[in-house]
Amino acid sequence: MSIKIPRGTKDILPEDSAKWQYIEKTAADICRNYQYEEIRTPIFESSELFLRGVGDTTDIVQKEMYVFEDQGGRSLALRPEGTASVVRSFVENKMFGAANQPVKLYYTGPMFRYERPQAGRYRQFVQFGIEALGSEDPAIDAEVISIAMEIYRQLGLKELKLVINTLGDNESRKAHREALIAHFEPRIGEFCSDCQNRLEKNPLRILDCKKDRDHELMKTAPSILDFLNEESKNYFDKVQKYLGEMEISFEVDPTLVRGLDYYNHTAFEIMSSAEGFGAITTLCGGGRYNGLVEMIGGPATPGIGFAFSIERLLAALEAEAVELPVQTELDCYIVTMGEEAKDHSVKLLHKLRQAGLSAERDYLDRKIKTQFKSADRMNAKLVAVLGEDELKENKINLKDMSTGEQQQVDLDVFVEEVKKYRA
Ligand code: AMP
């Protein structure tokens, strides 16, 4: 029996990888403009990092993590998300002492979660994310949100919905937490076992439960917005003001909570509102996590970030019928006639490629007509035809495929001539 790809994973085939490269490059270029630099961390980390950093009450840690023991008896996990690793590296490399503050980082790479695969949900998926560590200025919150929106905008997405909320500071969260416990406790028996466990540990997460989503107590649950102290309220007002100044539209949704334990203040999600996008509409999620760096063993440092998967971004582009500009062109295809010309084309091809041009020839002894067909299929701008007669005269025929015009050029200036068409 042939071996199949693991469930929940996908091959990215050549016809699609150009789109991935384009998206990754666009995102990286935008990050550069905002002064975010790339960080690359390992794909596996100590399991402990995610227990602490993601939180042991989360589905990710409780049910979805790929954990394994290595030959040395260490418990390791394939990373389920990027923030914990970035923060671990921030602490380990003492980036809190770097001259440039806040530390602004971005990453791209595969993440692993043992989830039930469906459209838009994979067991291995690629997240692009950013983290800004070291500042608690609401302008950074607005900047982080604007980067995600800008990446989507530049890629051509239009049907987006940005939803924001605040979880408040510790004091506000605590007051809200007590109100939530008082709200759910009398009827907690009607909720799933996960929610029952969450009641004391992290009642905010009950609002995030997929199973009990429609329970009547969910709709009447106390809203965080009623428990914000002055400082938290001002903070949230500023974030909204800055978004308004950047002309980024948004909605405030007080039920938006993040599944992870370390979030406070700003939380946000970007959804696709494109028709036919599918059941899972969230494209991007992010928020502030002022307690995380300390939890990972560093000095108290505020942070905020987001992550989105390229898989869902591609699905949104498809739903909006956006074509990325990834059509590849070939600068020159060399058609040869006869053995000698074919031999000589090896050198010519090499010269073209050394000059930074894209060039190709036939390797299957195909007839001239078929060679022309290949050139067409590869979108060749120029076809160079080399026969025995031309070779004797040290010449080659160049055909401009867009106009059909032909000219004969000296072999010595061939590369220069092809270059002219590049411009
Ligand atoms: P999270 O880390 O759960 O906040 O997710 C952030 C973003 O990652 C989501 O908005 C999705 O774009 C993406 N994402 C999360 N889980 C998956 C998955 N299993 N498959 C594909 N994309 C995912």
Side-chain angles (χ1 to χ4, degrees), residues 116-350:
R116 195 170 53 80
Q118 63 188 93
R121 182 175 288 152
Y122 304 95
R123 289 185 173 166
Q124 174 174 334
F125 54 98
V126 175
Q127 272 186 346
F128 176 88
I130 71 168
E131 315 291 348
L133 292 138
S135 165
E136 205 179 351
D137 185 330
I140 281 282
D141 301 46
E143 174 177 290
V144 164
I145 295 172
S146 74
I147 293 176
M149 294 300 282
E150 185 56 18
I151 293 172
Y152 289 150
R153 193 189 68 80
Q154 283 200 25
L155 288 169
L157 286 181
K158 294 201 171 68
E159 294 171 61
L160 296 173
K161 190 168 118 178
L162 167 64
V163 177
I164 64 169
N165 189 25
T166 180
L167 306 173
D169 62 7
N170 284 346
E171 191 186 79
S172 313
R173 273 193 80 148
K174 210 166 156 251
H176 183 225
R177 181 193 142 89
E178 277 155 22
L180 283 171
I181 295 178
H183 178 74
F184 286 112
E185 200 166 27
R187 291 174 65 186
I188 194 67
E190 296 166 28
F191 285 77
C192 72
S193 59
D194 283 341
C195 283
Q196 295 185 12
N197 289 330
R198 286 169 188 149
L199 183 70
E200 286 298 330
K201 272 186 150 176
N202 188 354
L204 194 64
R205 289 223 51 231
I206 297 178
L207 302 178
D208 213 11
C209 179
K210 287 165 199 143
K211 279 189 219 139
D212 293 320
R213 199 173 15 206
D214 298 323
H215 193 287
E216 60 173 306
L217 284 191
M218 290 293 210
K219 290 175 204 86
T220 53
S223 159
I224 178 67
L225 299 183
D226 297 328
F227 294 85
L228 295 179
N229 57 17
E230 211 42 36
E231 224 180 306
S232 301
K233 202 176 158 315
N234 288 341
Y235 196 97
F236 193 41
D237 285 346
K238 277 269 173 90
V239 174
Q240 297 181 60
K241 178 173 172 259
Y242 296 144
L243 287 174
E245 270 159 22
M246 290 189 277
E247 294 177 14
I248 295 172
S249 0
F250 61 90
E251 277 173 30
V252 174
D253 177 357
T255 66
L256 172 70
V257 296
R258 307 285 305 142
L260 311 181
D261 288 351
Y262 48 66
Y263 284 89
N264 50 9
H265 284 297
T266 314
F268 69 97
E269 276 187 6
I270 302 168
M271 266 93 73
S272 168
S273 47
E275 222 174 284
F277 181 66
I280 303 176
T281 56
T282 308
L283 295 181
C284 176
R288 185 164 272 289
Y289 48 80
N290 290 352
L292 182 62
V293 179
E294 239 178 327
M295 205 185 292
I296 306 286
T301 311
I304 178 163
F306 70 68
F308 64 71
S309 72
I310 297 185
E311 287 82 355
R312 282 196 204 164
L313 167 53
L314 279 165
L317 288 167
E318 201 176 310
E320 289 195 36
V322 176
E323 292 281 345
L324 297 177
V326 293
Q327 260 274 9
T328 50
E329 269 189 334
L330 184 68
D331 290 315
C332 183
Y333 188 100
I334 305 182
V335 167
T336 59
M337 291 178 283
E339 213 43 42
E340 235 176 287
K342 201 160 65 181
D343 285 351
H344 195 78
S345 71
V346 171
K347 184 170 149 186
L348 292 179
L349 264 184
H350 188 60

Side-chain angles (χ1 to χ4, degrees), residues 45-54 65 75-77 295-296:
E45 298 267 3
S46 257
S47 310
E48 175 67 22
L49 174 67
F50 302 112
L51 292 188
R52 270 205 257 167
V54 179
M65 216 152 63
S75 176
L76 300 171
M295 205 185 292
I296 306 286

Side-chain angles (χ1 to χ4, degrees), residues 84-101:
S85 304
V86 171
V87 170
R88 194 249 331 119
S89 177
F90 175 85
V91 172
E92 205 167 342
N93 294 293
K94 301 191 171 52
M95 288 186 228
F96 43 81
N100 275 345
Q101 296 290 337

